[in-house]
Amino acid sequence: MNILGRVKKIPGGLLIVPMLLAAVINTLFPAFFQIGDPTTALFTSKGTMVLIGMILLVSGTQLNLSQLLTTLKRAGVLCISRIIISCIFGWAFVHFFGIGGIGGVSAVAFIAVLTSCNPGLYLALMNSYGDDVDRAAFGILNLIAVPVIPVMILNSASGVGMDYLSVLATLVPFLIGILLGNLDSNIQKMFAPGTLILLPFLGTSFGSNINLRIAFQSSLSGLLVTVLFLIICMLPLIGIDRALLKRPGYAAAATCSVAGLSMVVPSMAAGFNPVYEPYVETAIAQIAFAVILTSILIPYIVRRLAKPGAVREPGK
């Protein structure tokens, strides 16, 4: 049974397939992943940040300092553009439609999706379509994947600013990896297959937090917020990637998948400001639908944008 070979044929399959399988299990048997540690710690959101930290360190070991400026140029432009787009349209949404939003989509759901980035899926796709610089950008993309950014936008009127400790905490494992990998090439070689090993675990931790029934109950409004996200965010980013960076646009598209981690944003926002509390449950369901839809759709968009012959075996 060539299970791994079949999974690899699916764009981003090393992350997507485990995520969808875990979502099915969580939907049918919600208590399965909660039987206790180490199962709960390994396969649920309880261990998500540990896995992200490990992937950050591993990916850092693969970044040669000679590529650092190129990596910062590519990922930096996309990250800054993404933040600017999120701030402008997030503030405009609240200004014109209020916290309650429009079409059943509240401000908390819209901004959580708009700012979301799934670096895990990005890395899985870059293992198939990208180069070393694209893969090294994983560490920088994690800076915009933290939930503090949408919470900051939602609560900016109340004076809530950036949590710089969260940014620093994201950078530390990545910087340690860069240091180790550049001090000793043997360390770089040892960690080379690390991301491929960790991606299925990260996908499982995302999926174990998704209830498919709840997600599809909000399918219409979830579809609306996803379409808005792709129009407002993905299309401009692809244009920026092509116009400014002179790249095909597949890397920009790969950053436009909604992460399972974004489902914590509504609860976090309500914790800072109780005015968002009435929208938490619906927003989580809409975000879950967007996670599923973009996880399936984005890999095929990336494959179409990649140059002919760009597909290769992961890790080569």
Side-chain angles (χ1 to χ4, degrees), residues 42-43 46 88 151 235 261 287 315:
L42 182 61
F43 294 121
K46 186 176 179 181
I88 291 174
V151 173
L235 293 181
L261 192 61
I287 295 168

Side-chain angles (χ1 to χ4, degrees), residues 24-244:
V24 171
I25 294 172
N26 184 57
T27 303
L28 298 177
F29 310 102
F32 176 79
F33 289 114
Q34 305 302 326
I35 60 176
D37 295 332
T39 298
T40 302
L42 182 61
F43 294 121
T44 69
S45 57
K46 186 176 179 181
T48 299
M49 295 312 296
V50 174
L51 289 167
I52 289 176
M54 292 174 67
I55 293 177
L56 279 168
L57 191 146
V58 169
S59 62
T61 64
Q62 305 307 300
L63 174 61
N64 293 319
L65 288 177
S66 59
Q67 299 174 329
L68 184 59
L69 288 178
T70 305
T71 302
L72 288 173
K73 178 183 177 182
R74 284 195 204 173
V77 168
L78 293 178
C79 287
I80 292 172
S81 300
R82 184 68 178 277
I83 292 172
I84 292 173
I85 290 171
S86 299
C87 288
I88 291 174
F89 283 93
W91 289 331
F93 187 92
V94 174
H95 176 76
F96 289 107
F97 305 117
I99 295 173
I102 187 174
V105 178
S106 65
V108 67
F110 177 78
I111 293 174
V113 170
L114 187 65
T115 57
S116 186
C117 173
N118 188 343
L121 181 57
Y122 170 88
L123 185 60
L125 292 170
M126 292 306 100
N127 276 324
S128 294
Y129 303 103
D131 55 25
D132 290 339
V133 176
D134 289 323
R135 289 188 292 276
F138 170 83
I140 300 172
L141 286 174
N142 273 274
L143 294 175
I144 63 171
V146 292
V148 70
I149 291 181
V151 173
M152 178 192 69
I153 295 174
L154 281 165
N155 294 284
S156 58
S158 302
V160 178
M162 173 65 76
D163 183 354
Y164 293 102
L165 282 179
S166 295
V167 176
L168 179 62
T170 301
L171 279 174
V172 167
F174 187 56
L175 293 175
I176 291 174
I178 293 175
L179 179 64
L180 292 174
N182 283 274
L183 286 177
D184 187 350
S185 60
N186 291 316
I187 293 177
Q188 188 178 73
K189 293 176 183 177
M190 181 182 75
F191 280 107
T195 54
L196 296 179
I197 295 171
L198 292 170
L199 280 173
F201 292 98
L202 186 62
T204 303
S205 73
F206 286 154
S208 65
N209 200 40
I210 296 174
N211 186 307
L212 295 175
R213 290 194 187 97
I214 297 175
F216 284 101
Q217 283 174 2
S218 299
S219 57
L220 290 179
S221 55
L223 178 62
L224 175 60
V225 74
T226 304
V227 170
L228 289 173
F229 166 67
L230 295 176
I231 294 173
I232 292 171
C233 193
M234 186 184 70
L235 293 181
L237 279 180
I238 292 174
I240 290 169
D241 201 7
R242 288 178 168 178
L244 296 183

